[in-house]
Amino acid sequence: MRFRHTAEVRSLNPGLAAGALHARGVGGPTDVTARAAAHTARAAARLSATPEGRFPEVPAWRRAYARMGLRPTRYRCASEALLRRLRREGELPRIHPVVDPCNAVSAAYAVPVAVLDADRVAGPLLEVRHARGDEHCTAFGGGTWHPAPGEVTCVDSDGRAHSRRWTNRQSGHSAVHRHTDRILVVAEALHDGGAGTVAQLMATLAGDIAAHWGTAPATALLTPGAPEFDLGGGG
């Protein structure tokens, strides 16, 4: 399985910095509370000094949404949505031992993080690209959506879209669940200095996963010179 962004997506978003992580053996029970809480506290401390709309990471994504013809105040990237929830409610939702630390790290670094069940993604290619309009996306509540032509989405080799409006909402089809064993995690930043942020975020997540499940994740920073991440071993 290969993961990449198209040249067109990169051209229209020259500040794009991305990282990918693949890990096996994350299905066992574990207590992620302490580490997730530490990441959440970091995000909360930053919010106490300034609202998320003034973080440099957030306006960069709002500009990307405007380029897609979307209202940034209606459709928000995943990290902005998490930060808004944390500011308003004082905590992040608890969903799954894999998802919770990913959400907390996303809030801490103010960068969207997607975590997919890699066994629910059809290979050999998963690609962030502009939709044609014939892709199908499964909503969390059931039913099928079709991304609008030109919308940036993440599409596998079966034409299944695993996100809506790039980093706004994930598909329910590849959502992590209690039987998930193998994951693909993607982090994407658009702000100045995003490459450094993503590198730190990837290292943090890899350390968390290794500590929680005793597995060694494979990670990569995607650059124009190395635009693909190969998960290896089929999928």
Side-chain angles (χ1 to χ4, degrees), residues 8-26:
E8 183 181 14
V9 168
R10 287 191 168 276
S11 175
L12 292 172
N13 300 277
L16 175 62
L21 176 152
H22 176 240
R24 298 176 182 272
V26 298

Side-chain angles (χ1 to χ4, degrees), residues 7-176:
E8 183 181 14
V9 168
R10 287 191 168 276
S11 175
L12 292 172
N13 300 277
L16 175 62
L21 176 152
H22 176 240
R24 298 176 182 272
V26 298
T30 187
D31 184 1
V32 301
T33 305
R35 284 181 177 249
H39 301 316
T40 303
R42 175 180 170 180
R46 192 176 180 188
L47 285 170
S48 69
T50 186
E52 70 281 352
R54 295 183 182 176
F55 294 5
E57 300 89 344
V58 171
W61 274 104
R62 290 181 179 178
R63 291 190 292 270
Y65 275 52
R67 286 193 293 271
M68 285 191 285
L70 299 170
R71 289 175 55 192
T73 54
R74 179 177 180 184
Y75 300 109
R76 304 176 190 275
C77 74
S79 53
E80 181 181 359
L82 286 170
L83 287 165
R84 282 168 58 85
R85 181 163 184 168
L86 178 59
R87 175 170 53 81
R88 292 174 174 180
E89 301 180 12
E91 60 183 4
L92 295 176
R94 299 189 65 176
I95 299 170
H96 183 280
V98 172
V99 177
D100 294 352
C102 288
N103 280 347
V105 166
S106 176
Y109 288 91
V111 168
V113 174
V115 52
L116 287 73
D117 184 323
D119 291 316
R120 300 281 287 171
V121 179
L125 178 65
L126 180 64
E127 185 174 55
V128 178
R129 62 168 172 81
H130 290 86
R132 295 187 295 264
D134 59 351
E135 301 85 358
H136 50 285
C137 182
T138 303
F140 271 89
T144 299
W145 295 78
H146 296 283
E151 177 184 319
V152 178
T153 184
C154 188
V155 185
D156 68 18
S157 294
D158 282 352
R160 183 182 293 277
H162 294 274
S163 69
R164 291 297 315 276
R165 297 172 287 271
W166 200 348
T167 60
N168 171 245
R169 189 175 299 276
Q170 283 186 241
S171 162
H173 178 79
S174 52
V176 170

Side-chain angles (χ1 to χ4, degrees), residues 17-19 42 46 56-57 105-106 108-112 187-204 221:
R42 175 180 170 180
R46 192 176 180 188
E57 300 89 344
V105 166
S106 176
Y109 288 91
V111 168
E188 296 158 304
L190 296 174
H191 63 286
D192 290 342
T197 302
V198 170
Q200 294 175 29
L201 184 155
M202 284 283 113
T204 299
L221 300 178

